[in-house]
Amino acid sequence: MSNDKMRGDWMQAHSKRHKILLLFLTFLKIGAFTFGGGYAMIALMQREVVEKRHWITDEDIMDIITIAESTPGVIAVNSATFIGYKTAGFWGAFFATLGVTLPSFVVISVISLFFVQFKSLKIVAYAFEGIRAGIAVLIVSAVIKLSKYCPKDLFSFLLAALAFFASAFFDVSSIYLLLTGMMCGIVYQVIKVRRTSTVSGKDGDGK
């Protein structure tokens, strides 16, 4: 019995270590092959952790992005930390964060040594023009995939349109948009629940 328990504990520990290693390698890949920041990273992150690994769901991705944008720090790092912790606890969060930041740290360290020569290379400028186009495609792809899990009612469409208008034409900070959206969502849901309760109460009295 004791041997079975020891074997079970060993297998559980081995499975957790394997998962932590996979978290590190997955986020290392995400950090190494995504250009353009956190928003461009969302599509690759969704494919790797939801579709391929099944660690979390698309609904979880939506929640994590919202939380990551509402807290201090870079969205890519915050998202990696949240996903890592949800998947494998503290060490999962640690190695997921390490994996997603390591490629940028190494690349920037190397570039800083040869910055003047690197900046003057025309091929680098041409490459980044192509990368910018690819980033736009990645962001649009992420929006289309995740929009399937957003509420589809008049209030949500109106709020999304107002947020886009404020961000695109008035350069309103995303944190203000998130806070405003949060407050509007709370007020809307409270009013909706009260109306539903009132209607239910009237139906009950009628019976």
Side-chain angles (χ1 to χ4, degrees), residues 22-188:
L22 278 178
L23 273 166
F24 173 74
L25 294 175
T26 298
F27 279 95
L28 184 72
K29 175 183 175 181
I30 291 170
F33 292 99
T34 305
F35 297 87
Y39 294 111
M41 191 176 286
I42 291 170
L44 182 56
M45 192 181 297
Q46 190 267 349
R47 186 166 65 249
E48 288 292 325
V49 303
V50 177
E51 296 178 4
K52 187 176 179 181
R53 301 292 180 188
H54 304 291
W55 286 330
I56 57 175
T57 64
D58 284 309
E59 289 88 344
D60 290 331
I61 282 279
M62 291 290 294
D63 293 338
I64 286 167
I65 292 168
T66 303
I67 295 169
E69 269 291 87
S70 306
T71 52
V74 183
I75 183 173
V77 175
N78 290 348
S79 299
T81 304
F82 284 126
I83 293 170
Y85 188 82
K86 184 176 177 63
T87 306
F90 172 80
W91 290 111
F94 177 83
F95 281 101
T97 305
L98 178 65
V100 83
T101 55
L102 191 59
S104 299
F105 176 77
V106 172
V107 170
I108 293 299
S109 298
V110 172
I111 288 175
S112 65
L113 297 174
F114 310 99
F115 181 72
V116 177
Q117 298 91 325
F118 185 82
K119 187 179 177 182
S120 62
L121 291 175
K122 287 187 177 181
I123 192 170
V124 173
Y126 297 154
F128 274 99
E129 286 183 9
I131 288 170
R132 290 189 192 101
I135 289 168
V137 173
L138 284 173
I139 293 174
V140 171
S141 172
V143 169
I144 292 171
K145 285 183 179 180
L146 297 177
S147 64
K148 293 185 294 185
Y149 302 94
C150 293
K152 294 177 177 63
D153 52 37
L154 180 61
F155 171 78
S156 301
F157 287 131
L158 183 61
L159 194 61
L162 289 173
F164 173 78
F165 187 79
S167 177
F169 297 101
F170 294 98
D171 200 26
V172 177
S173 172
S174 59
I175 188 65
Y176 295 129
L177 295 176
L178 285 168
L179 290 173
T180 303
M182 179 180 69
M183 295 305 299
C184 289
I186 291 171
V187 172
Y188 175 74

